[in-house]
Amino acid sequence: MIKATDLVRPLLPFPELLDRENALRKALAEQVQTRTMSLLERNIQIQKLHSQLLEEERSRLSAAPADAGKLAPAVTQWRQSNGESCGRLGGDSGLVIEAFVAGCS
C-alpha cells in the first residue's frame, strides 16, 4: 500500500513525514512476516508514530505562512477516505499526518 501513497505524496505540505511513516511500516512488516513482532504490536507502533507525526505537522503548519496550510483537494479526499480505524486490529494502516495518520497505507 506504500506505493499507493506516491500519488498523494507531492501534494502533502511535508512529504518527509509520510516517508518516515512508510519506512516504519516497511520495517514493521518485515518483523511481522518473520514473526518477531505481532500484528497488534505493529499496529500500536504505527499509531504511536502516527500521533507524533500529526503533532509535528500541526506544529509546522502553525508556524508556516497562512497559505501553506491549504491542502490540495486530493489530500483532503484521501484523509477522509482513510479513517483512524485503519490502524486497528483487522485493518491495515494508519498513515501520517491526518493524511498520514488518518490516511492508511
Side-chain angles (χ1 to χ4, degrees):
M1 186 85 171
I2 291 174
K3 289 184 180 183
T5 63
D6 289 346
L7 297 174
V8 76
R9 187 185 183 283
L11 305 173
L12 295 171
F14 309 107
E16 70 279 2
L17 298 178
L18 178 61
D19 296 343
R20 285 174 38 196
E21 184 169 334
N22 284 342
L24 178 67
R25 287 180 180 283
K26 184 176 180 180
L28 296 179
E30 291 171 6
Q31 291 180 29
V32 170
Q33 190 170 15
T34 60
R35 297 191 175 161
T36 57
M37 174 180 279
S38 73
L39 184 58
L40 181 59
E41 291 170 313
R42 171 231 180 240
N43 289 344
I44 291 168
Q45 291 300 315
I46 289 174
Q47 289 292 58
K48 284 181 183 179
L49 178 67
H50 192 71
S51 294
Q52 292 169 357
L53 293 174
L54 252 181
E55 185 56 39
E56 184 171 340
E57 180 188 55
R58 287 181 186 138
S59 175
R60 288 185 188 186
L61 287 173
S62 68
D67 63 334
K70 294 182 182 175
L71 298 175
V75 172
T76 302
Q77 184 178 13
W78 179 53
R79 286 180 177 182
Q80 291 173 348
S81 70
N82 294 294
E84 290 183 38
S85 62
C86 298
R88 296 193 183 129
L89 189 59
D92 186 31
S93 247
L95 186 10
V96 180
I97 316 296
E98 278 176 359
F100 289 40
V101 174
C104 301
S105 79

